[in-house]
Amino acid sequence: MSSKLDALNAWVAEAAALAKPDAVHWCDGSQAEYDALIADMLQSGTLVALNQHTHPGCYLHRSNPADVARVERLTLVCHPQEADAGPNNHWMDPAAAHAKIDAMFDGCMRGRTMYVIPYCMGPIDSPLARCGVEITDSPYVVANMRIMTRMGAAALARIERDGSFVKGLHSIGELDPERRWIMHFPAELAIKSFGSGYGGNALLGKKCHALRIASYQGRTEGWLAEHMLIVGIENPQGEIRYIAAAFPSACGKTNLSMLIPPEGYRRDGWKVWTVGDDICWMHPGEDGRLYAINPEAGFFGVAPGTNRKTNPNALETISHDTIYTNVAVTADNQPWWEGLPGTPVTDWQGRPYDPANGPAAHPNSRFTASVRQCPTWTDQAEAPQGVPISAIVFGGRRASLQPLVVQARDWTHGVLMGAMMGSETTAAAAGAVGVLRRDSMAMKPFCGYHYGDYFTHWLDFDRPAAKLPAIFQVNWFRKDADGKFLWPGFGDNLRVLEWMLKRVEGGATGKPTPIGTVPAPGELNLEGLDLEPGRLEALLTVDQAGWQAELADVETYLESFAPRLPEALRRERDRIAQALAASD
Ligand code: SAT
Ligand code: MN
């Protein structure tokens, strides 16, 4: 073998010597390999076949009930200096971390096969793509990685060309929550994950590599790794503009990335193209614009709430060749979750369904399917240079305060908007649901280094020749006094995206407010939408006292990143606070 693979071979040998598997299997990514893995998992009970007439190629995995979400307290970012991890991460000294987790890996694969998975995050020939190798003892992880990444022989060939890759060592261990760690060593481009088989903890190409490690790599190399969907909006003239949007987990990124335009828009010829639903890597291009790729090749989406009305494209995507995790099952063995028609008979734990046990599908139950199965998938997702981004959107789940849409006045204001994002927590992470927490750029669980340095890195993109995207803040989740959502969301969100693109192209003047620009009366296209009188005003209201309180809270939050908080953000916050006070 060539010397470029020596480092890989040596690392695999070292991992095998530590974990002591019965066999080592190098994954080639072929269909035959995938089929054989599925057959083995059906035999061992790791997978259950679903109704092959209604859902060909679909299987169900029921995970350990104590292993259904990411666990932030067990997720560590191990920089040599604790200060570099920042208050936004849990930290352990790298040497201590290695020692702790290596003791768990010692002999953990006895009686198991160790799989070596070469993978590429991004189009295989893209200069923006980066490779990794995951070693795991979970065939479920292998099957998911084949859907979620460009995995196998082509990735190995690229690793051989590049000579570098991210090392990910994973074992499900005993799935014991007491013996579980997800550790990142950004300076070593390494990940070690033990004791969990759940998506974000175990599919190491996803959050661990494409966000935590890549955010750090991006800072060193001058690009951004973000928790963003990428969607193309085609207008009736056939022009396509791309938008990248950050939302915390389980806030509708998948839905927004493949939305169906409202009827009037469809009639007029508007189309939506899906590039990615979760992760976006953005590099400045030679023309000064930001170009984005989706490093992933699949969707690992939240099942509950996905239905004909909310996301028909997702339903179509997952109607075949999909791995389901922790959903319920109907009498005729179809996958089922809350929001679908039909009746569950078996719950996500495999028990006869009883409402007394809670929802039939786990609230964080998931589907894994290739992006290519999505009716709105575009081959621009394979463009090696990426797609140019016209607008960046930050969105949270806020029952009050945050207007439907606000545009930042410039890049610095936009970075502040991202930094001060707040959102009510969801089931994607273990812990209480519905609690407001700050989640800067939706990266709180995923930024692999100090948030203060990360804000500085964002601000640094504002250079003389840069042609940066406009930045907007949205909130689809604002409620009225009775707790009802004010905005219909889903396909109608295109109305808001259209306004953003008009702003970018100079086709809307907007209405200035102390917190940014909102749509002027008449600028949001509401044709065909039955909004009760006063609703739009309620959606766009800037509650002055509420915002003053918000900015006071933001100040405390931002200062938690001192002394690394960039002064520009402090000044920007002060400017808005003064504008609010002046509008009193
Ligand atoms: O962390 S996962 O990738 O498993 C899902 C999510 O939280 O977005
Ligand atoms: Mn996500």
Short mmCIF file of all heavy atoms in Angstrom, two decimals, residues 66 69-77 88-92 176-183 201 212 429-431 437 444-445:
data_model
loop_
_atom_site.label_atom_id
_atom_site.label_comp_id
_atom_site.label_asym_id
_atom_site.label_seq_id
_atom_site.Cartn_x
_atom_site.Cartn_y
_atom_site.Cartn_z
N ALA A 66 -32.59 3.99 26.90
CA ALA A 66 -31.77 5.00 27.59
C ALA A 66 -30.76 5.63 26.63
O ALA A 66 -29.76 6.21 27.06
CB ALA A 66 -31.04 4.35 28.77
N ALA A 69 -31.07 10.16 22.35
CA ALA A 69 -30.80 11.56 22.02
C ALA A 69 -29.34 11.87 22.35
O ALA A 69 -28.67 11.09 23.03
CB ALA A 69 -31.71 12.50 22.81
N ARG A 70 -28.88 13.02 21.86
CA ARG A 70 -27.54 13.46 22.24
C ARG A 70 -27.53 13.81 23.72
O ARG A 70 -28.54 14.23 24.27
CB ARG A 70 -27.14 14.70 21.43
CG ARG A 70 -26.76 14.38 19.99
CD ARG A 70 -26.37 15.62 19.21
NE ARG A 70 -27.53 16.43 18.90
CZ ARG A 70 -27.91 17.51 19.55
NH1 ARG A 70 -27.19 17.97 20.57
NH2 ARG A 70 -28.97 18.17 19.19
N VAL A 71 -26.38 13.64 24.37
CA VAL A 71 -26.27 13.99 25.78
C VAL A 71 -25.15 15.02 25.91
O VAL A 71 -23.97 14.70 25.79
CB VAL A 71 -25.94 12.77 26.66
CG1 VAL A 71 -26.20 13.11 28.12
CG2 VAL A 71 -26.75 11.56 26.25
N GLU A 72 -25.55 16.26 26.11
CA GLU A 72 -24.54 17.32 26.05
C GLU A 72 -23.54 17.24 27.20
O GLU A 72 -22.36 17.53 27.02
CB GLU A 72 -25.22 18.69 25.98
CG GLU A 72 -25.89 18.84 24.63
CD GLU A 72 -26.65 20.15 24.44
OE1 GLU A 72 -26.42 21.10 25.21
OE2 GLU A 72 -27.48 20.19 23.50
N ARG A 73 -24.02 16.78 28.36
CA ARG A 73 -23.10 16.76 29.50
C ARG A 73 -22.00 15.72 29.33
O ARG A 73 -20.94 15.81 29.95
CB ARG A 73 -23.94 16.63 30.77
CG ARG A 73 -23.91 15.45 31.59
CD ARG A 73 -25.10 15.40 32.57
NE ARG A 73 -25.97 14.29 32.21
CZ ARG A 73 -25.66 13.02 32.44
NH1 ARG A 73 -24.54 12.70 33.05
NH2 ARG A 73 -26.47 12.04 32.06
N LEU A 74 -22.21 14.75 28.47
CA LEU A 74 -21.20 13.72 28.23
C LEU A 74 -20.41 13.99 26.95
O LEU A 74 -19.61 13.17 26.51
CB LEU A 74 -21.87 12.34 28.13
CG LEU A 74 -22.70 11.93 29.35
CD1 LEU A 74 -23.36 10.58 29.14
CD2 LEU A 74 -21.83 11.90 30.61
N THR A 75 -20.65 15.14 26.34
CA THR A 75 -19.99 15.50 25.09
C THR A 75 -18.88 16.50 25.40
O THR A 75 -19.15 17.59 25.90
CB THR A 75 -21.02 16.10 24.11
OG1 THR A 75 -22.07 15.15 23.94
CG2 THR A 75 -20.38 16.42 22.76
N LEU A 76 -17.66 16.11 25.16
CA LEU A 76 -16.52 16.93 25.57
C LEU A 76 -15.72 17.42 24.37
O LEU A 76 -15.61 16.73 23.36
CB LEU A 76 -15.56 16.10 26.44
CG LEU A 76 -16.15 15.35 27.64
CD1 LEU A 76 -15.04 14.60 28.35
CD2 LEU A 76 -16.82 16.33 28.60
N VAL A 77 -15.18 18.63 24.54
CA VAL A 77 -14.26 19.17 23.55
C VAL A 77 -12.93 19.33 24.27
O VAL A 77 -12.80 20.15 25.18
CB VAL A 77 -14.78 20.50 22.98
CG1 VAL A 77 -13.74 21.12 22.07
CG2 VAL A 77 -16.06 20.25 22.20
N ASN A 88 -18.99 27.45 26.52
CA ASN A 88 -20.04 26.78 25.75
C ASN A 88 -19.79 25.28 25.62
O ASN A 88 -20.63 24.57 25.07
CB ASN A 88 -20.17 27.41 24.35
CG ASN A 88 -18.83 27.63 23.67
OD1 ASN A 88 -17.97 28.33 24.21
ND2 ASN A 88 -18.64 27.04 22.51
N ASN A 89 -18.65 24.78 26.07
CA ASN A 89 -18.36 23.35 25.96
C ASN A 89 -18.00 22.73 27.30
O ASN A 89 -17.51 23.42 28.20
CB ASN A 89 -17.16 23.12 25.01
CG ASN A 89 -17.58 23.20 23.55
OD1 ASN A 89 -18.45 22.44 23.10
ND2 ASN A 89 -16.97 24.12 22.81
N HIS A 90 -18.20 21.43 27.40
CA HIS A 90 -17.62 20.67 28.51
C HIS A 90 -16.22 20.26 28.08
O HIS A 90 -16.01 19.90 26.93
CB HIS A 90 -18.47 19.45 28.83
CG HIS A 90 -19.85 19.83 29.31
ND1 HIS A 90 -20.09 20.27 30.58
CD2 HIS A 90 -21.04 19.86 28.67
CE1 HIS A 90 -21.38 20.56 30.72
NE2 HIS A 90 -21.97 20.31 29.56
N TRP A 91 -15.30 20.32 29.02
CA TRP A 91 -13.89 20.11 28.68
C TRP A 91 -13.26 19.07 29.58
O TRP A 91 -13.66 18.90 30.74
CB TRP A 91 -13.15 21.45 28.85
CG TRP A 91 -11.66 21.36 28.64
CD1 TRP A 91 -11.00 21.45 27.45
CD2 TRP A 91 -10.66 21.18 29.65
NE1 TRP A 91 -9.65 21.33 27.67
CE2 TRP A 91 -9.41 21.15 29.00
CE3 TRP A 91 -10.70 21.01 31.04
CZ2 TRP A 91 -8.20 20.99 29.69
CZ3 TRP A 91 -9.50 20.84 31.73
CH2 TRP A 91 -8.27 20.85 31.06
N MET A 92 -12.28 18.39 29.04
CA MET A 92 -11.42 17.55 29.86
C MET A 92 -10.02 17.65 29.26
O MET A 92 -9.89 17.82 28.04
CB MET A 92 -11.90 16.09 29.82
CG MET A 92 -11.37 15.21 30.92
SD MET A 92 -11.95 13.48 30.79
CE MET A 92 -13.61 13.57 31.42
N ASP A 176 -24.36 1.65 28.19
CA ASP A 176 -24.63 2.01 29.58
C ASP A 176 -24.44 3.52 29.72
O ASP A 176 -23.34 4.04 29.50
CB ASP A 176 -23.62 1.25 30.46
CG ASP A 176 -23.73 1.63 31.93
OD1 ASP A 176 -24.54 2.51 32.26
OD2 ASP A 176 -22.97 1.04 32.73
N PRO A 177 -25.51 4.24 30.11
CA PRO A 177 -25.38 5.71 30.22
C PRO A 177 -24.30 6.12 31.22
O PRO A 177 -23.78 7.23 31.14
CB PRO A 177 -26.76 6.17 30.71
CG PRO A 177 -27.68 5.00 30.55
CD PRO A 177 -26.85 3.76 30.44
N GLU A 178 -23.95 5.23 32.12
CA GLU A 178 -22.90 5.53 33.10
C GLU A 178 -21.50 5.36 32.50
O GLU A 178 -20.51 5.75 33.10
CB GLU A 178 -23.02 4.62 34.33
CG GLU A 178 -24.33 4.76 35.09
CD GLU A 178 -24.55 6.19 35.57
OE1 GLU A 178 -23.60 6.79 36.09
OE2 GLU A 178 -25.69 6.68 35.40
N ARG A 179 -21.45 4.65 31.39
CA ARG A 179 -20.15 4.48 30.72
C ARG A 179 -20.29 4.97 29.29
O ARG A 179 -20.27 4.21 28.33
CB ARG A 179 -19.74 2.99 30.74
CG ARG A 179 -19.17 2.58 32.11
CD ARG A 179 -19.00 1.08 32.25
NE ARG A 179 -18.37 0.41 31.11
CZ ARG A 179 -17.05 0.32 30.91
NH1 ARG A 179 -16.20 0.89 31.74
NH2 ARG A 179 -16.58 -0.35 29.87
N ARG A 180 -20.51 6.27 29.18
CA ARG A 180 -20.75 6.88 27.86
C ARG A 180 -20.01 8.20 27.78
O ARG A 180 -20.13 9.05 28.67
CB ARG A 180 -22.26 7.12 27.71
CG ARG A 180 -22.65 7.80 26.40
CD ARG A 180 -24.17 7.91 26.26
NE ARG A 180 -24.81 6.60 26.24
CZ ARG A 180 -26.11 6.38 26.46
NH1 ARG A 180 -26.90 7.39 26.72
NH2 ARG A 180 -26.61 5.17 26.42
N TRP A 181 -19.23 8.41 26.71
CA TRP A 181 -18.57 9.69 26.47
C TRP A 181 -18.52 9.95 24.97
O TRP A 181 -18.34 9.02 24.19
CB TRP A 181 -17.11 9.69 26.98
CG TRP A 181 -16.98 9.66 28.47
CD1 TRP A 181 -16.61 8.61 29.24
CD2 TRP A 181 -17.23 10.75 29.38
NE1 TRP A 181 -16.60 8.96 30.58
CE2 TRP A 181 -16.99 10.27 30.68
CE3 TRP A 181 -17.64 12.09 29.22
CZ2 TRP A 181 -17.12 11.07 31.82
CZ3 TRP A 181 -17.77 12.88 30.35
CH2 TRP A 181 -17.52 12.37 31.63
N ILE A 182 -18.66 11.18 24.60
CA ILE A 182 -18.45 11.58 23.22
C ILE A 182 -17.38 12.66 23.28
O ILE A 182 -17.64 13.78 23.71
CB ILE A 182 -19.75 12.08 22.55
CG1 ILE A 182 -20.81 10.97 22.56
CG2 ILE A 182 -19.49 12.49 21.10
CD1 ILE A 182 -21.74 10.98 23.72
N MET A 183 -16.17 12.28 22.92
CA MET A 183 -15.02 13.17 23.11
C MET A 183 -14.44 13.63 21.78
O MET A 183 -14.32 12.85 20.85
CB MET A 183 -13.92 12.43 23.87
CG MET A 183 -14.31 12.02 25.27
SD MET A 183 -12.92 11.11 26.01
CE MET A 183 -13.53 10.92 27.70
N ASN A 201 -24.46 10.90 18.39
CA ASN A 201 -23.36 10.40 19.22
C ASN A 201 -22.53 9.35 18.50
O ASN A 201 -21.41 9.06 18.92
CB ASN A 201 -23.91 9.72 20.49
CG ASN A 201 -24.68 10.67 21.38
OD1 ASN A 201 -24.47 11.86 21.34
ND2 ASN A 201 -25.59 10.13 22.18
N ARG A 212 -18.41 19.86 15.04
CA ARG A 212 -17.45 20.20 16.12
C ARG A 212 -16.02 20.27 15.60
O ARG A 212 -15.32 21.26 15.82
CB ARG A 212 -17.59 19.23 17.29
CG ARG A 212 -18.96 19.32 17.94
CD ARG A 212 -19.04 18.63 19.29
NE ARG A 212 -20.45 18.49 19.66
CZ ARG A 212 -21.18 17.41 19.41
NH1 ARG A 212 -20.63 16.34 18.83
NH2 ARG A 212 -22.46 17.38 19.73
N ALA A 429 -32.22 16.77 22.27
CA ALA A 429 -31.21 16.57 23.30
C ALA A 429 -31.91 16.11 24.56
O ALA A 429 -33.06 16.50 24.83
CB ALA A 429 -30.43 17.85 23.57
N ALA A 430 -31.21 15.27 25.35
CA ALA A 430 -31.78 14.83 26.61
C ALA A 430 -31.97 16.05 27.51
O ALA A 430 -31.19 16.98 27.47
CB ALA A 430 -30.83 13.82 27.25
N GLY A 431 -33.03 16.05 28.33
CA GLY A 431 -33.26 17.17 29.24
C GLY A 431 -34.65 17.76 29.06
O GLY A 431 -35.43 17.29 28.22
N ARG A 437 -33.42 28.81 26.01
CA ARG A 437 -31.98 28.94 26.25
C ARG A 437 -31.34 29.64 25.05
O ARG A 437 -31.84 29.57 23.93
CB ARG A 437 -31.32 27.59 26.51
CG ARG A 437 -31.06 26.77 25.28
CD ARG A 437 -30.00 25.69 25.58
NE ARG A 437 -29.74 24.90 24.41
CZ ARG A 437 -28.89 23.89 24.35
NH1 ARG A 437 -28.24 23.53 25.43
NH2 ARG A 437 -28.70 23.22 23.25
N LYS A 444 -24.82 25.91 19.84
CA LYS A 444 -24.43 25.67 21.23
C LYS A 444 -23.91 24.24 21.45
O LYS A 444 -22.85 24.05 22.03
CB LYS A 444 -25.61 25.97 22.17
CG LYS A 444 -25.45 25.47 23.58
CD LYS A 444 -24.42 26.26 24.40
CE LYS A 444 -24.22 25.68 25.79
NZ LYS A 444 -23.59 24.35 25.78
N PRO A 445 -24.62 23.23 20.95
CA PRO A 445 -24.10 21.88 21.20
C PRO A 445 -22.98 21.47 20.23
O PRO A 445 -22.46 20.37 20.36
CB PRO A 445 -25.32 20.97 20.98
CG PRO A 445 -26.49 21.88 20.73
CD PRO A 445 -25.95 23.19 20.32
#
